């Protein structure tokens, strides 16, 4: 089995985690860490703006997948963590802007907080090539 670490930015090295792992063994599977609303340098973006945070989450997800040789069309599973479950319908509408057609298997979890103060949403993904 071949494993390749995927880190399109450098800030995650300071925080001690990987954005994704690409696993190749017949098929290629990419396990993407939870993506949040952070800029390229790892700073919180769009504090208090759920829609803007959600769009940046999917842009960041797209960036990680692109570096791994995949697209959003390869996503087969999503996990979303929300600090306010009342925002789930809004999340679904924004997600549909990025993921068209049949939707991936998904899990939604309400949480009291995320890894960085001010984050409202985190999305993790699994993609298969």
């Amino acid at each position: 089995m071949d494993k390749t670490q995927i880190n399109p930015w450098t800030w995650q090295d300071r925080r001690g985690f990987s954005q994704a792992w690409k696993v190749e063994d017949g098929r290629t599977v990419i396990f993407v860490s939870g993506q949040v609303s952070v800029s390229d340098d790892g700073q919180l973006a769009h504090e208090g703006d759920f829609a803007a945070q959600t769009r940046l989450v999917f842009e960041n997800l797209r960036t990680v997948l692109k570096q791994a040789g995949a697209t959003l069309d390869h996503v087969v599973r999503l996990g979303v963590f929300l600090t306010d479950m009342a925002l789930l319908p809004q999340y679904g509408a924004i997600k549909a802007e990025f993921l068209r057609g049949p939707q991936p298997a998904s899990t939604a979890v309400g949480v009291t907080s995320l890894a960085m103060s001010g984050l409202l949403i985190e999305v993790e993904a699994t993609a298969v090539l």
Side-chain angles (χ1 to χ4, degrees):
M1 172 178 66
D2 292 327
K3 293 187 342 181
T4 305
Q5 186 180 38
I6 306 296
N7 280 332
W9 309 286
T10 58
W11 65 262
Q12 68 273 322
D13 300 331
R14 295 188 306 272
R15 298 219 172 104
F17 74 97
S18 299
Q19 293 294 340
W21 280 94
K22 180 178 178 178
V23 178
E24 297 182 85
D25 189 18
R27 288 256 183 214
T28 299
V29 180
I30 303 163
F31 301 94
V32 183
S33 292
Q35 298 299 301
V36 294
S37 181
V38 294
S39 60
D40 290 352
D41 63 355
Q43 300 302 309
L44 174 67
H46 311 298
E47 187 167 4
D49 186 339
F50 180 77
Q53 282 197 17
T54 302
R55 286 186 177 90
L56 184 54
V57 162
F58 279 100
E59 292 294 338
N60 287 344
L61 176 57
R62 185 186 338 236
T63 298
V64 173
L65 289 169
K66 181 178 180 182
Q67 186 165 341
T71 69
L72 290 170
D73 291 336
H74 293 105
V75 172
V76 297
R77 190 193 70 65
L78 290 173
V80 60
F81 303 89
L82 300 169
T83 59
D84 181 353
M85 287 302 286
L87 296 170
L88 187 60
Q90 188 177 358
Y91 159 77
I94 295 168
K95 175 179 60 105
E97 295 173 13
F98 290 87
L99 298 168
R100 302 196 183 275
Q103 295 295 298
S106 296
T107 300
V109 179
V111 297
T112 57
S113 64
L114 293 163
M116 184 185 297
S117 179
L119 292 174
L120 303 173
I121 181 171
E122 182 168 344
V123 176
E124 62 185 12
T126 304
V128 178
L129 297 164

